[in-house]
């Protein structure tokens, strides 16, 4: 089976009756189509350069349980150079196009970005422009990847350092790296979307599990060339993967 077809064989569960929170569909801005000059990104095998490593406090213990000896050793090497414990912090630290972010085994809640940011107070609910998403990335998204750094010139482009970004979980099963949204103390959804790639040409997401979002677990919009490979999306109120334009 082709990679894309295999990748998109997923469970997109709608839990309207079983889970708290609003069930109304999320509205999105009118999309601007890319010009089609991009291409499907090619996977960069481990360990690719340049790279940034993300890990959790218990990643070392979880690496010891990896059955594949070669993969276990690669994870040990990556753990030694781990600088971040949140994916968003690693995304923010990308300095060069074509960077790979390796996410070591663990559960990632992205704690600094779960609560509603102050910038969201002036936005309200509903449709946000690209500029509003860029300037307030966590109003709706747990992790935001935005490739157009100069949207004010009215020309859609991917010119930021995060273009051609590869995000790869390093476990021997997608469930070894888990991103989870879930609910806040009031019982409402913590975030609408999980990982958002917006005008992020060349985005490659591989080998992880992402769950429990009011909208979409992975949301790719106005992106010219992307791959979602060996990713499990589950228990979301709308879609596991939503990609268009």
């Amino acid at each position: 089976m082709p990679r894309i077809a295999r990748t998109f064989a997923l469970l997109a569960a709608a839990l309207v009756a079983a889970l708290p929170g609003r069930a109304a569909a999320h509205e999105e801005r009118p999309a601007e189509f890319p010009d089609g000059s991009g291409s499907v990104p090619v996977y960069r095998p481990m360990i690719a350069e340049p790279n940034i490593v993300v890990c959790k406090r218990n990643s070392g213990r979880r690496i010891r349980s990896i059955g594949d000896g070669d993969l276990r050793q690669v994870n040990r090497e990556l753990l030694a150079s781990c600088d971040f414990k949140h994916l968003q912090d690693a995304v923010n630290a990308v300095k060069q196009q074509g960077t790979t972010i390796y996410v070591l085994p663990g559960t990632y809640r992205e704690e600094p970005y779960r609560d509603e940011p102050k910038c969201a107070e002036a936005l309200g609910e509903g449709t946000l422009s690209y500029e509003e998403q860029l300037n307030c990335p966590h109003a709706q998204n747990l992790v935001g990847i935005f490739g157009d750094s100069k949207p004010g010139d009215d020309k859609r482009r991917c010119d930021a350092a995060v273009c051609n970004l590869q995000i790869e979980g390093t476990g021997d099963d997608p469930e070894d790296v888990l991103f989870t949204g879930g609910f806040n103390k009031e019982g409402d959804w913590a975030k609408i979307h999980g990982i958002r790639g917006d005008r992020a040409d060349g985005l490659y997401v591989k080998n992880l599990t992402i769950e429990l979002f009011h909208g979409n677990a992975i949301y790719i919009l106005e992106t010219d060339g992307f791959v979602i490979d060996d990713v499990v999306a589950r228990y979301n109120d709308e879609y596991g993967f939503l990609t268009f334009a």
Side-chain angles (χ1 to χ4, degrees), residues 40-55:
V40 177
V42 176
Y43 172 67
R44 298 188 287 268
M46 290 191 282
I47 299 176
E49 297 286 349
N51 68 68
I52 299 174
V53 181
V54 184
C55 65

Side-chain angles (χ1 to χ4, degrees), residues 25-73:
H26 170 69
E27 295 182 358
E28 188 50 85
R29 69 178 189 264
E32 178 180 344
F33 282 80
D35 64 11
S37 61
S39 60
V40 177
V42 176
Y43 172 67
R44 298 188 287 268
M46 290 191 282
I47 299 176
E49 297 286 349
N51 68 68
I52 299 174
V53 181
V54 184
C55 65
K56 286 298 185 183
R57 183 176 299 179
N58 67 345
S59 290
R61 176 177 59 80
R62 299 185 65 165
I63 287 169
R64 289 195 293 273
S65 67
I66 292 177
D68 185 316
D70 292 338
L71 182 60
R72 186 168 61 247
Q73 181 57 36

Side-chain angles (χ1 to χ4, degrees), residues 53-112:
V53 181
V54 184
C55 65
K56 286 298 185 183
R57 183 176 299 179
N58 67 345
S59 290
R61 176 177 59 80
R62 299 185 65 165
I63 287 169
R64 289 195 293 273
S65 67
I66 292 177
D68 185 316
D70 292 338
L71 182 60
R72 186 168 61 247
Q73 181 57 36
V74 168
N75 271 267
R76 287 171 174 166
E77 294 176 17
L78 290 170
L79 182 62
S81 59
C82 177
D83 290 323
F84 297 99
K85 59 182 180 180
H86 304 295
L87 174 59
Q88 185 68 69
D89 291 339
V91 170
N92 295 344
V94 172
K95 303 298 183 184
Q96 180 179 336
Q97 292 188 8
T99 294
T100 298
I101 297 177
Y102 291 112
V103 187
L104 273 56
T107 298
Y108 295 83
R109 293 172 53 83
E110 301 290 301
E111 287 85 353

Side-chain angles (χ1 to χ4, degrees), residues 27-233:
E27 295 182 358
E28 188 50 85
R29 69 178 189 264
E32 178 180 344
F33 282 80
D35 64 11
S37 61
S39 60
V40 177
V42 176
Y43 172 67
R44 298 188 287 268
M46 290 191 282
I47 299 176
E49 297 286 349
N51 68 68
I52 299 174
V53 181
V54 184
C55 65
K56 286 298 185 183
R57 183 176 299 179
N58 67 345
S59 290
R61 176 177 59 80
R62 299 185 65 165
I63 287 169
R64 289 195 293 273
S65 67
I66 292 177
D68 185 316
D70 292 338
L71 182 60
R72 186 168 61 247
Q73 181 57 36
V74 168
N75 271 267
R76 287 171 174 166
E77 294 176 17
L78 290 170
L79 182 62
S81 59
C82 177
D83 290 323
F84 297 99
K85 59 182 180 180
H86 304 295
L87 174 59
Q88 185 68 69
D89 291 339
V91 170
N92 295 344
V94 172
K95 303 298 183 184
Q96 180 179 336
Q97 292 188 8
T99 294
T100 298
I101 297 177
Y102 291 112
V103 187
L104 273 56
T107 298
Y108 295 83
R109 293 172 53 83
E110 301 290 301
E111 287 85 353
Y113 308 103
R114 295 179 69 84
D115 295 336
E116 184 174 81
K118 291 183 178 180
C119 59
E121 297 175 0
L123 298 177
E125 297 184 4
T127 303
L128 300 182
S129 68
Y130 177 85
E131 291 84 348
E132 289 172 326
Q133 292 281 1
L134 177 65
N135 294 326
C136 194
H138 304 293
Q140 298 180 339
N141 315 295
L142 189 63
V143 176
I145 304 165
F146 297 91
D148 186 351
S149 65
K150 301 175 182 178
D153 62 6
D154 296 325
K155 183 177 181 181
R156 192 221 76 95
R157 72 183 77 194
C158 194
D159 59 357
V162 295
C163 300
N164 299 311
L165 180 67
Q166 179 171 304
I167 299 172
E168 181 174 3
T170 63
D172 57 1
D173 185 277
E175 293 195 28
D176 289 346
V177 175
L178 174 64
F179 286 87
T180 187
F183 310 97
N184 58 26
K185 294 179 180 179
E186 289 74 33
D188 295 322
W189 295 94
K191 287 295 178 186
I192 296 176
H193 307 300
I195 298 175
R196 182 190 189 100
D198 206 329
R199 302 186 181 179
D201 297 1
L203 180 62
Y204 200 118
V205 183
K206 179 176 175 63
N207 195 35
L208 55 85
T209 296
I210 183 164
E211 65 180 18
L212 291 170
F213 292 93
H214 179 45
N216 312 290
I218 294 182
Y219 190 12
I220 298 180
L221 177 63
E222 293 186 19
T223 292
D224 199 351
F226 66 90
V227 171
I228 302 172
D229 186 11
D230 287 337
V231 174
V232 176

